[in-house]
Amino acid sequence: MNSSNWPYYKEWVLTQEALNKMLQQLDPDIQRAALEYEIIRSKLTKFFQYRGCAFPEEYADETINRVIRKIDAGEVIRADNPAKYFLGVAHNVLREQWRKSGREADIIDIQLPQQQPFVDPRELVEQEAEKQHQEICLKCLECCLQRLPRDSRELIMEYYSESGRVGIEKRQELAQQLGVQLNNLRIKMHRLRAKLEQCVQRCLKDEGKNC
Amino acid sequence: MNHPEDKQPMFQYILDELSEDEKCKFEERYFDDDNFYELLLAAEDEMIDLYIRGELSQHERQQFEQRFLKFPQNRQRLEFAKALIKVVEPVAEPLPCPQQPSLMQRLGTFFNSPQTALRWSLVASLVMVVAFTWLLTKYLHLQAQVAQFQIEQTALHRQLAEEQARNEQLLAKLTDQQNHGARLNQEPQEQRPVTVPTPAVVAFVLNPLLSRSTDSSQPLILPSGDYFVQLQLKLVREDVYKNYRAELRTIEGHRVWRGDNLSLKQTNKGKSVFVTIPSRVFAKEDYILTLTGLPADNDSEEDYTFSVIKN
């Protein structure tokens, strides 16, 4: 999917000036505006993902481009939250794409690897490489866990130590011990986990050598 | 799987169980409230964990795979979560055994009781009953074995008699054959056909026709027998359609097979449509398979040519 799939705006080119105008409308402070932009882009990608679009990031970028075009042409975002303006444009993008393909959702059935009927001899080699990759991944994860502050590390170990009903009760207890609401604990754990995942990805780039 | 009430709408959104109206309201909420959005991301983490631990129902599992795990960045989160659970899950510690009195202590308690005499007589009776029962069981078992041996012996005698009669018949037959052997012609030895087990499915990958040149036809070698031929039709076009129709024609244009309601699959080799055709449809000739995206437009057809060679 590329810009030529969207027929109306072939002549327009994104400029730094147009981008800055959009960021200004998100927040006068450029640092906060950039952060807000990233959050909006993440939400747009999530929206298109759950609406069954095969290429959610491309649809998200098209939505952002359209908003930037409108602002570049003089429009001002009047919504109390700029993100809701982007959502409105996203709905239009989605409807256009549905009309174009004459159906409700752009869904591609995905066959997970175990469902694919063909066995490629190269896959056997790839499986061995995957096994080695998993070992490096585990090593990186252990390393990244060690780099966390002690209380964060212990929190993760406690939070994920149990599953099922016992796990749910344990998490409620943890929230009480920390003096926070359970939802706040969930958000905290999500952020810790995302941070760990980023650390592991960086470590994997070096194949675990700098661990 | 019953999920806690506060997480219901999150999980329902992830699994596409909300109505259109509910979906729109949910999306407005997470666009408006960053906290709510982070709760959605946290719910995705928890659903990933439930998936890994096998705690989702069959339906939830399928929905999660189709709605969430089809995206590479989400599969990456799944792999990370598998590693995290592997590292943090503790090894179960064995439960401490409760202290039990020793055998000597228990015997001491028993024999020091005031009712020892009564207990002794009861014990003795019990031992006699147990011994008698054991002996009776043993006797009955031995009786049964003897009866079985007798039956087997009779059967063996009968079998021996039958074998002897058969031997005599074979001997007579051999004699006849030897007598007539000189008058029979040597027949050429026939080779027994080697039977090769017929496969259930034979699969091929087909690429679309990019030019009308004759050497673009792909050869398909089909063994003999009754089975299904599965063709993976790779797509190169960007456009995707909800449904596809496939029509198989000979090179002269005669239609021999048609399939409807085919859907697109994403494999690691790209987008493809799979068709399964009985082997008896194919003869040793050239074919064109036309794949049409529905609803059809000017650009929705793709052709695949191949030549069938039969073993």
Side-chain angles (χ1 to χ4, degrees), chain B residues 84 86 93 98 123 131 136 152 175 241 260-261 266 302:
Chain B
L84 182 63
K86 210 169 181 174
E93 286 179 7
V123 165
L136 182 63
E152 281 173 10
T175 311
Y241 297 85
D260 290 299
N261 288 326
Q266 181 71 41
E302 198 95 72

Side-chain angles (χ1 to χ4, degrees), chain B residues 8-294:
Chain B
Q8 284 280 12
M10 297 280 175
F11 286 165
Q12 282 177 319
Y13 181 70
I14 292 169
L15 299 176
D16 196 22
E17 290 173 359
L18 295 176
S19 66
E20 180 60 33
D21 214 29
E22 286 167 335
K23 225 185 278 189
C24 286
K25 286 186 179 138
F26 189 92
E27 284 155 357
E28 266 190 51
R29 192 164 168 201
Y30 74 70
F31 267 79
D32 195 28
D33 181 349
D34 288 353
N35 218 45
F36 192 74
Y37 180 60
E38 286 205 82
L39 278 175
L40 173 61
L41 300 179
E44 286 176 352
D45 286 342
E46 289 177 27
M47 192 146 252
I48 288 171
D49 294 345
L50 290 172
Y51 177 85
I52 291 169
R53 291 192 162 116
E55 291 174 21
L56 294 180
S57 69
Q58 177 72 6
H59 167 75
E60 285 169 341
R61 203 173 170 81
Q62 274 174 357
Q63 283 293 96
F64 191 61
E65 284 168 0
Q66 284 181 13
R67 298 247 318 150
F68 187 81
L69 292 181
K70 71 180 189 182
F71 298 102
Q73 60 270 36
N74 292 340
R75 284 200 295 277
Q76 194 174 283
R77 284 170 72 183
L78 176 76
E79 292 310 312
F80 169 78
K82 278 183 189 169
L84 182 63
I85 287 172
K86 210 169 181 174
V87 165
V88 303
E89 259 185 357
V91 175
E93 286 179 7
L95 292 170
C97 288
Q99 287 287 334
Q100 289 194 6
S102 67
L103 177 61
M104 292 309 295
Q105 283 174 323
R106 288 203 299 270
L107 282 173
T109 309
F110 178 77
F111 288 113
N112 288 332
S113 161
Q115 293 171 325
T116 299
L118 178 61
R119 287 190 182 189
W120 271 114
S121 60
L122 280 172
V123 165
S125 307
L126 192 62
V127 166
M128 279 171 59
V129 165
V130 166
F132 176 73
T133 309
W134 180 79
L135 281 169
L136 182 63
T137 309
K138 205 76 182 146
Y139 172 75
L140 290 171
H141 180 64
L142 285 168
Q143 283 284 82
Q145 273 189 331
V146 165
Q148 182 66 22
F149 287 145
Q150 282 171 345
I151 292 168
E152 281 173 10
Q153 196 176 36
T154 311
L156 280 170
H157 281 147
R158 192 171 56 244
Q159 203 177 353
L160 183 63
E162 282 169 8
E163 288 295 321
Q164 280 174 344
R166 191 171 140 71
N167 276 346
E168 282 163 15
Q169 280 175 5
L170 286 172
L171 195 59
K173 210 172 178 179
L174 183 63
T175 311
D176 281 341
Q177 280 186 345
Q178 281 174 346
N179 289 338
H180 289 286
R183 288 182 293 164
L184 290 173
N185 290 325
Q186 286 281 341
E187 286 186 9
Q189 275 190 345
E190 287 178 4
Q191 267 190 338
R192 273 195 213 160
V194 174
T195 52
V196 175
T198 305
V201 177
V202 173
F204 301 93
V205 178
L206 293 181
N207 291 298
L209 180 66
L210 298 176
S211 73
R212 288 279 166 190
S213 67
T214 51
D215 58 0
S216 60
S217 188
Q218 301 157 82
L220 261 59
I221 302 170
L222 300 182
S224 58
D226 260 336
Y227 48 88
F228 287 97
V229 178
Q230 188 175 60
L231 302 175
Q232 180 183 354
L233 311 173
K234 289 174 74 174
L235 272 81
V236 295
R237 292 172 191 277
E238 287 293 332
D239 296 336
V240 293
Y241 297 85
K242 189 177 182 184
N243 274 315
Y244 287 83
R245 181 178 65 224
E247 287 187 325
L248 182 67
R249 293 175 188 275
T250 62
I251 212 73
E252 291 86 19
H254 173 58
R255 192 176 77 189
V256 296
W257 180 87
R258 174 175 157 155
D260 290 299
N261 288 326
L262 305 167
S263 57
L264 194 64
K265 307 277 186 199
Q266 181 71 41
T267 71
N268 62 2
K269 294 181 174 63
K271 300 191 289 285
S272 300
V273 171
F274 291 83
V275 298
T276 305
I277 305 172
S279 62
R280 61 179 174 275
V281 165
F282 296 97
K284 191 183 155 187
E285 57 183 302
D286 294 343
Y287 293 91
I288 295 179
L289 194 146
T290 302
L291 188 68
T292 308
L294 301 170

Side-chain angles (χ1 to χ4, degrees), chain A residues 108-119:
Chain A
I108 297 176
D109 285 339
I110 295 290
Q111 280 194 324
L112 295 175
Q114 59 266 29
Q115 291 172 315
Q116 290 176 9
F118 303 108
V119 176

